[in-house]
Each structure stands twice: as C-alpha cells, then as structure tokens.
Amino acid sequence: MQYLPNILFAIVLVLGIGFFTMNIRKIIRNIKLGKDVDRSDKKPERLKNMIMIALGQSKMVKRPLSGFLHIVVYIGFIIINIEVLEIIIDGLFGTHRVFLGVLGEGFYGFLIGTFEILAALVFIAVVIFWLRRNVSNIKRFLSKEMKGWPKNDGNYILYFEMVLMTLFLVMNATDVSFQQAGIGNPISQFIVPLFDGFSPESLHTIERSAWWIHILGILVFLNYLYYSKHLHILLAFPNTYYANLNPKGQFNNLESVTNEVKLMMDPDADPYAMPAEGEEEAVPEKFGASDVADLNWVQLMNSYTCTECGRCTSSCPANLTGKELSPRNIMMKTRDRLEEVGRNIDENKGTFVDDGKQLLNDYISPEELWACTSCNACVEECPVNIDPLSIIMDMRRYLVMEESAAPQELNMMMTNIENNGAPWQYNQQDRLNWANEE
C-alpha cells in the first residue's frame, strides 16, 4: 500500500501526457491539410526572428504596460515550471524535495525563493490582466467576436494561473520542515500565520492536498491548451521561425499566370504549342482559396497560433472606420473552420466527407474581405508574426479569378486597364487634354 500514491501518480502522469500528445497529433494533422510552401530559406534570419520575437517578446513591449505584464507571466511560467520536474520525481519515487539533497540548501533555497517571488509577481500580473479584460472596458476586448467562449477562455486561463500560483505558495507555507529550515521562503513565510493553530497532521494534509492539486492542475492546464487560444505558448516558436520574410506588401504570383504573361510577352512563342514531352503545365486546381485546404500550412498554423489579443484589429484602418473587417476574426474563423474539418475527418475515420460548407461565405463574408486596404498594419502589429492579410488576399483571388465576383468598382477599373491602359475611363489619345484646359 505504501507504493499506491506513486502508482496513482504514474497513471495520472501517463494519461495526462498521453492525452496531450494525442491532441497535438491532431493539430499537426490539421495543419498539414494546407498546401505546401517552402520556408526553408534564410535560416539565420528565421532563427533570429524566433529568438527575438517568440523568446525575447520584442514585439510585445511596443505596448509597454501589457508587454511588461506579459513578460512577467511568461518568465514566471517558464522558470516556475522547473519546479515541476522535482514534483514529477517526488511523485514517481516517493521522495520529498529531492533537489534539496542534490543541490544543497544554499542553491535550492535560492531557486525556490526565486520561484516564490515570481509566483507572487505572476499572481499580481494576472489580477491586473483580469481587471483589464473585465473592468477597464478596453475596446479590443469588447468586440463582437470576443463574446461567449473567447471571453470566457481568456478568463479561464487567468483563473488557472491564479490557482496554480496560490497552490504553490500554500504548498510551501504548510511544509513544516521547509519553513523550519528557513530557506527559499521569502513569500510563503508571510502565509504561514494563516495556518496558526493547525496540528502537524492537518498541515501535512493541506501540504499534500496542495501538492496533488497543483500537479493535477498543471496536467489539466496542459491539456486545456488544445481547446484554448493559449496554444501560442507552444506554437509561437515555429510560427515566428516560418513567418514570411519577404518585404511587406510583396505578394506572391501564381506560377500559371506568370507563365501566361511570359508567353504573351514572348514574340517568338507559339501560344498553341503543346507542352514538351515530360513537362506538365503548372495549372492549379483552383485559383486562390475558398476553404482551409486551399490555404498553405503556414497560414493554418497562423490560425492556431492566434492569441486573440486584438492588436491587429485595433490598428486596422478598415475596422477603425466601422467596416465589417476584423483581422483577429479572420484568424479565429479560419481556426474554427479548420477544427470543423478536423472533426469531420475524425468522425469519418480519416477521410473528409463534403459537408457542404467552406471558409468563404459560411465563415468569412466577401464584405469583410473587400473592406481590407492591404496596408499590412495587422501583420506589423501581431506579436507572433501572424499574417491575416495573406489569407484575405488568397480569398480575394478566388473571388476574382474563379467566381468573377469582384466589386463593380474593381471590375470597372480592370476593364479600363485592359481597354485603355489606365484605371480611368478615358481613351489614351485623350489623356493629355487636361493640359489644354484653362
């Protein structure tokens, strides 16, 4: 019976990590539904981006208050979780504070003391975040796409962090031998008076309960990430590494269209010639994108990485002038559709069965797409290098090239360019008539 807690701990640990692994495999599967795109170039620049933006939080601090608070939570999340390793060893082998004997009182006290200070700072930062989300009436947290689950999701994560930090400090405060040693308890020593009058047995029960709930909470939190916007904790690193490094405003050209233009411009080319033997004309199945499978895998990873912070939408000129477009909502809807497609595949044993839906119209309306000014403000603002504009442009391309569904003003412009060589409805011979007007 003395090994029963260790056995239970091992079972819980395996189940928690196993369920997390299963969900991560689903995410990878869903991302791979996207079309292939080569992002293997400029490796040093990509690595620098990942270190500076994902690890160094360089774009977060453009908004100093929220950026500083996020860094506090981020550093605390990483460093305090080093202590989880000790919990896992203690849980599996029945030891108690195993690192104390390995590292010595001095260094161990320094580590736990640092963890306690960070836990207190994280708790304070999380409370401020909660107040900003729920009391301060910040506009980007009040948008219509932030109602219901998105709002609750953000709050659930904050509650998780509050509880985990509290449990860590209570666990230390009720560990009698740890407090008697007087090492590494700069915060928990002030919590000890709350438990005055408790018997040693009661303190031990509270300490063990806090220990168990703390590790169970971490495993629940780990698996909650799959259902939450907080997947960016994991995906920010690959997302910044594989981000588009081309100058903002440089759009990709379709190979088939490029070949057509080259053919038109080549006076020696035979437009009716058949492709040479062994060569196939690069004609895509579809121009642009109408559903998630038409997007590339980096765009799909972008949708999973979105933190729903709303910095993109708060800087979008179309949104600021009352247009329907919200770059954040574009990413959220793309993720929702991708998740729906993934569930369809799971329900049909690995095969997608047409459900009569697609990203365009069922999730994202043409009105949203045409409201975009393609200014790249959303791309510049995103703290993890997400590119909503690329999705908007691919879906616009579908509307124009597949459905001829461009707005009337755009169709007129393209007709004028085709007929007159300019966007305006004037004959080329009349272009300079304005110079003769008095």
Side-chain angles (χ1 to χ4, degrees):
M1 290 299 291
Q2 62 175 331
Y3 298 111
L4 182 60
N6 310 96
I7 295 170
L8 288 175
F9 182 88
I11 292 172
V12 168
L13 187 65
V14 169
L15 289 176
I17 295 177
F19 190 64
F20 173 74
T21 303
M22 181 184 70
N23 285 332
I24 290 297
R25 288 167 63 90
K26 285 184 181 180
I27 291 172
I28 294 172
R29 188 272 315 275
N30 290 351
I31 290 174
K32 286 183 175 180
L33 294 175
K35 295 185 179 300
D36 190 30
V37 60
D38 185 12
R39 293 288 169 86
S40 60
D41 60 330
K42 304 178 182 178
K43 289 183 172 61
E45 187 176 351
R46 294 186 180 282
L47 186 60
K48 179 183 176 182
N49 272 355
M50 185 177 70
I51 293 172
M52 293 294 295
I53 299 171
L55 186 63
Q57 307 280 290
S58 61
K59 294 183 76 172
M60 282 297 302
V61 295
K62 288 184 177 181
R63 302 192 183 190
L65 176 60
S66 57
F68 173 74
L69 293 173
H70 190 275
I71 286 175
V72 169
V73 175
Y74 172 71
I75 292 175
F77 176 83
I78 291 176
I79 295 180
I80 294 173
N81 278 333
I82 296 174
E83 179 253 355
V84 175
L85 181 60
E86 182 183 51
I87 291 180
I88 290 174
I89 295 173
D90 286 344
L92 290 175
F93 298 100
T95 54
H96 183 67
R97 296 191 181 270
V98 66
F99 285 172
L100 178 59
V102 175
L103 302 176
E105 287 190 358
F107 188 55
Y108 183 79
F110 169 77
L111 277 181
I112 299 298
T114 302
F115 297 164
E116 287 199 359
I117 293 170
L118 284 172
L121 291 174
V122 168
F123 188 91
I124 294 169
V126 167
V127 169
I128 296 173
F129 275 138
W130 187 90
L131 292 171
R132 281 168 57 82
R133 278 184 166 271
N134 298 279
V135 178
S136 298
N137 292 327
I138 296 174
K139 185 179 178 181
R140 61 192 172 101
F141 296 135
L142 301 175
S143 303
K144 61 181 181 180
E145 67 261 26
M146 295 307 292
K147 307 296 183 184
W149 169 252
K151 178 181 176 66
N152 294 334
D153 176 36
N155 284 332
Y156 292 157
I157 287 291
L158 297 179
Y159 298 144
F160 257 119
E161 290 171 344
M162 290 181 196
V163 170
L164 290 176
M165 295 305 103
T166 301
L167 288 169
F168 171 67
L169 294 172
V170 168
M171 181 177 71
N172 286 351
T174 53
D175 189 336
V176 176
S177 60
F178 174 73
Q179 290 298 325
Q180 288 175 345
I183 57 169
N185 60 343
I187 305 298
S188 61
Q189 62 179 314
F190 298 106
I191 303 176
V192 171
L194 297 176
F195 300 97
D196 283 347
F198 283 74
S199 66
E201 293 77 13
S202 298
L203 290 174
H204 179 71
T205 300
I206 295 171
E207 188 270 337
R208 286 291 85 192
S209 298
W211 185 92
W212 271 100
I213 299 172
H214 182 68
I215 188 61
L216 289 174
I218 289 173
L219 290 174
V220 170
F221 178 85
L222 183 67
N223 283 284
Y224 179 73
L225 292 180
Y226 172 74
Y227 306 96
S228 167
K229 71 184 181 103
H230 281 72
L231 264 176
H232 73 271
I233 294 172
L234 305 176
L235 292 180
F237 293 91
N239 199 78
T240 50
Y241 182 85
Y242 290 111
N244 186 10
L245 297 181
N246 292 330
K248 291 181 178 62
Q250 177 180 325
F251 297 115
N252 65 313
N253 296 316
L254 292 176
E255 184 181 355
S256 58
V257 176
T258 301
N259 291 338
E260 286 287 335
V261 173
K262 287 179 178 179
L263 187 65
M264 293 169 59
M265 300 296 289
D266 184 357
D268 300 321
D270 180 2
Y272 302 105
M274 295 295 291
E277 187 176 350
E279 293 183 5
E280 292 185 4
E281 192 174 359
V283 179
E285 296 178 6
K286 181 190 293 184
F287 292 103
S290 64
D291 208 350
V292 289
D294 304 321
L295 300 171
N296 66 55
W297 65 267
V298 175
Q299 292 169 319
L300 299 185
M301 182 169 64
N302 281 179
S303 72
Y304 273 123
T305 310
C306 179
T307 68
E308 298 177 14
C309 65
R311 292 188 180 204
C312 55
T313 295
S314 68
S315 64
C316 174
N319 185 272
L320 291 173
T321 53
K323 302 295 191 300
E324 187 69 20
L325 173 66
S326 166
R328 169 174 59 189
N329 209 15
I330 295 291
M331 302 314 301
M332 292 170 66
K333 289 176 178 177
T334 302
R335 182 180 62 218
D336 290 345
R337 173 56 180 164
L338 183 55
E339 279 289 291
E340 183 178 50
V341 170
R343 289 192 296 272
N344 183 308
I345 292 172
D346 290 335
E347 291 167 1
N348 293 285
K349 300 179 180 179
T351 303
F352 176 73
V353 176
D354 186 11
D355 58 1
K357 297 181 183 179
Q358 59 178 7
L359 184 61
L360 181 63
N361 294 319
D362 291 302
Y363 284 83
I364 299 173
S365 68
E367 180 185 355
E368 295 172 77
L369 299 175
W370 292 116
C372 177
T373 67
S374 65
C375 68
N376 271 289
C378 56
V379 183
E380 179 65 29
E381 280 293 315
C382 181
V384 287
N385 281 14
I386 290 169
D387 187 357
L389 180 58
S390 67
I391 295 177
I392 292 172
M393 296 308 296
D394 281 348
M395 296 183 75
R396 278 183 175 181
R397 180 175 279 167
Y398 174 84
L399 287 170
V400 172
M401 301 184 73
E402 291 281 347
E403 296 193 343
S404 300
Q408 182 180 359
E409 298 84 356
L410 187 56
N411 281 329
M412 290 177 60
M413 181 197 73
M414 290 189 288
T415 300
N416 290 333
I417 290 175
E418 183 178 359
N419 296 334
N420 305 320
W424 302 280
Q425 197 171 2
Y426 296 106
N427 190 286
Q428 295 190 35
Q429 285 87 357
D430 297 333
R431 285 187 182 179
L432 294 178
N433 288 352
W434 63 271
N436 301 320
E437 295 179 1
E438 294 183 0

